[in-house]
């Protein structure tokens, strides 16, 4: 009789015990799909994905004891994966008002300073407000932060391309009047694409979307993993790892 009661008691508490076990399992049992696009902060080299943003994400994952499968995709595909699939980490992504509730944010990789740029040869293109900018043709990357920004502000004359190279090529060929670029990384962008930055100049800042590039998780990723990564990000900042990674970038320029 006592044995039967013990079995009943154990069976009754099995769901609780199982839930506790799952919660206390080491987080390394999970693997994240880590997605990004080719850019100045992350890029493929010698069949490896590298760059300071990649180094930072790897440091956070290591601190959290989480493994990641890194892949470079066109931005549209990376963004869609992070919106529709569980256990996806995406970087480097602008944290805009339109995206705020679509992801679980981990931490800022680098600040942003977005501006409208024109070719110096087109000095007649000189907007001072967003309303004036709408009179010109603007080039954007599909599903990028700027694409969402111009759509939400009613820009109608917009040229949409698939990647950064096409974006710049369309601009230099004068098929668009304006593009929007993070000015803090413009010099590096021009160096990587062998474009003469002296051909380009800023005409207007956009404070609304100059909030920083982040790493973030898909909404379908568990809160526990999110907590682990946020904690890990804060720890590598307090330990000086973040600063060392960024200093490595500065000395390489």
């Amino acid at each position: 009789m006592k044995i039967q009661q013990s079995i009943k008691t154990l069976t009754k508490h099995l769901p609780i015990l199982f839930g506790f076990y799952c919660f206390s399992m080491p987080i390394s049992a999970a693997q994240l799909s880590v997605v990004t696009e080719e850019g100045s902060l992350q890029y493929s080299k010698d069949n490896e994905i590298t760059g300071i943003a990649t180094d930072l994400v790897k440091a956070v994952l290591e601190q959290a004891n989480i493994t990641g499968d890194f892949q470079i995709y066109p931005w549209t595909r990376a963004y869609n994966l992070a919106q529709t699939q569980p256990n996806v980490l995406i970087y480097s992504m602008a944290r805009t008002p339109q995206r705020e509730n679509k992801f679980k944010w981990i931490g800022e990789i680098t600040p942003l300073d977005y501006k409208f740029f024109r070719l110096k040869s087109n000095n007649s293109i000189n907007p001072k407000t967003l309303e004036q900018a709408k009179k010109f043709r603007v080039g954007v990357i599909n599903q990028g932060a700027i694409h969402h920004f111009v759509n939400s502000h009613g820009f109608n004359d917009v040229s949409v391309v698939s990647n950064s190279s096409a974006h710049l090529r369309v601009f230099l060929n004068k098929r668009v009047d304006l593009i929007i670029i993070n000015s803090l990384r413009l010099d590096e962008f021009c160096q990587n694409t062998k474009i003469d930055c002296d051909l380009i100049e800023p005409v207007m800042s956009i404070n609304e979307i100059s909030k920083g590039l982040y790493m973030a998780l898909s909404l379908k990723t568990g809160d526990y993993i999110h907590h682990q990564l946020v904690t890990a990000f804060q720890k590598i900042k307090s330990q000086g790892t973040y600063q060392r990674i960024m200093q490595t970038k500065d000395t390489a320029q």
Side-chain angles (χ1 to χ4, degrees), residues 89-231:
L89 187 155
I90 185 170
Y91 74 106
S92 305
M93 181 167 66
R95 187 170 184 171
T96 63
Q98 294 80 14
R99 291 173 174 168
E100 186 62 33
N101 298 320
K102 295 180 179 180
F103 300 92
K104 296 179 178 180
W105 302 93
I106 298 169
E108 184 182 80
I109 297 171
T110 188
L112 284 176
D113 180 26
Y114 274 122
K115 288 181 170 68
F116 280 100
F117 282 80
R118 71 180 180 191
L119 293 176
K120 284 185 178 179
S121 58
N122 287 346
N123 55 16
S124 61
I125 300 170
N126 196 31
K128 300 299 182 184
T129 66
L130 284 180
E131 286 304 312
Q132 291 178 4
K134 291 177 186 179
K135 298 176 182 178
F136 300 100
R137 187 165 181 78
V138 179
V140 302
I141 298 174
N142 191 30
Q143 294 299 319
I146 305 308
H147 192 187
H148 297 305
F149 172 78
V150 297
N151 280 343
S152 67
H153 284 78
F155 282 72
N156 294 316
D157 197 358
V158 178
S159 175
V160 182
V161 296
S162 60
N163 56 61
S164 299
S165 297
H167 184 222
L168 194 59
R169 188 167 59 250
V170 165
F171 177 54
L172 293 173
N173 288 337
K174 298 184 180 181
R175 289 163 56 191
V176 298
D177 303 312
L178 295 165
I179 57 173
I180 302 171
I181 299 178
N182 171 23
S183 62
L184 296 178
R185 295 295 175 184
L186 178 60
D187 287 344
E188 184 179 4
F189 182 72
C190 289
Q191 289 170 12
N192 289 343
T193 54
K194 294 182 171 53
I195 296 299
D196 185 1
C197 278
D198 289 337
L199 298 174
I200 305 168
E201 64 182 1
V203 289
M204 189 176 76
S205 296
I206 313 174
N207 296 328
E208 180 181 336
I209 54 175
S210 297
K211 298 180 182 299
L213 289 174
Y214 279 70
M215 58 183 81
L217 290 169
S218 55
L219 282 182
K220 293 182 179 181
T221 305
D223 289 339
Y224 182 60
I225 294 177
H226 180 224
H227 173 74
Q228 287 294 101
L229 289 170
V230 170
T231 301

